Amino acid sequence: MQGCNKRCRGCCNPTYLYLVERELVSASSVLDWLANAHHAHALEGVTFLGGEPLLQAQGLAVVAQGAQSLGLSVMVFSGYTKHELDVLQLPGADQLLRYTDVLVDGPYEANLPEHSRRWSGSTNQQFHYLTARYDARIESEGEVDRVLEVRLQKDGSVFINGWPEKVLR
């Protein structure tokens, strides 16, 4: 998702922080694409991250509900803690979480890097299993592999996504 007001130092998706309109896509278009991709590629689920997905919770709630109706799991990463979400009452947040299997919450803390759990960037982040679909085993099943995606654009710009500390090592 595009846009985040947390501005975590060392964010793995810094190009998605700015709260500007980029490519607006309807929830129904996303669901059509998702249904086709699910059948073509045997998807297990969808993951919402960003930016900050909870800033677009109303539209994502529709997508999450549709994803679950397709038999897909829904995982959401948020820089907000669950407690903050309860206090802030962001529009659509309750509905989105109603259709979420796993919420990974908390801001990324560069000084607390996670090395043993999958799916989280720093040790302060917590997993909330909101349905019975998954449990804590997903945090440790398989190898913890931190990857970095680098795209060189035709205009000479570089897009980096993932774990920036690998670039610095």
Side-chain angles (χ1 to χ4, degrees):
M1 301 292 102
Q2 176 68 40
C4 181
N5 52 12
K6 288 295 204 174
R7 303 293 193 264
C8 302
R9 188 175 68 77
C11 175
C12 69
N13 288 321
T15 59
Y16 293 110
L17 296 179
Y18 302 104
L19 293 164
V20 296
E21 287 184 7
R22 294 243 173 123
E23 184 177 342
L24 299 179
V25 181
S26 70
S28 62
S29 294
V30 173
L31 285 171
D32 288 343
W33 175 86
L34 192 56
N36 291 332
H38 175 45
H39 296 299
H41 303 290
L43 301 180
E44 178 180 344
V46 297
T47 303
F48 301 142
L49 55 124
E52 175 54 58
L54 274 294
L55 295 179
Q56 298 184 48
Q58 289 173 304
L60 286 180
V62 174
V63 176
Q65 182 179 16
Q68 284 192 340
S69 72
L70 291 169
L72 297 170
S73 63
V74 176
M75 186 174 198
V76 176
F77 287 86
S78 177
Y80 293 107
T81 65
K82 192 161 183 326
H83 175 73
E84 286 175 312
L85 292 172
D86 292 340
V87 171
L88 290 171
Q89 295 294 302
L90 297 171
D94 286 343
Q95 294 90 337
L96 175 56
L97 294 180
R98 188 175 304 128
Y99 298 106
T100 297
D101 296 295
V102 181
L103 169 68
V104 180
D105 76 349
Y108 172 69
E109 298 285 344
N111 61 330
L112 299 172
E114 178 64 70
H115 297 290
S116 61
R117 294 182 303 168
R118 298 177 77 210
W119 312 113
S120 61
S122 54
T123 58
N124 64 297
Q125 295 172 322
Q126 297 297 309
F127 286 72
H128 301 274
Y129 298 96
L130 305 179
T131 69
R133 186 168 188 146
Y134 297 107
D135 60 35
R137 288 178 290 189
I138 69 167
E139 298 173 44
S140 59
E141 287 180 343
E143 183 180 337
V144 176
D145 187 25
R146 304 299 189 203
V147 296
L148 183 67
E149 173 187 10
V150 178
R151 293 184 191 179
L152 304 174
Q153 307 295 333
K154 289 180 182 179
D155 67 1
S157 63
V158 178
F159 173 82
I160 299 175
N161 183 30
W163 298 91
E165 73 272 6
K166 285 197 171 193
V167 173
L168 303 174
R169 288 187 182 173

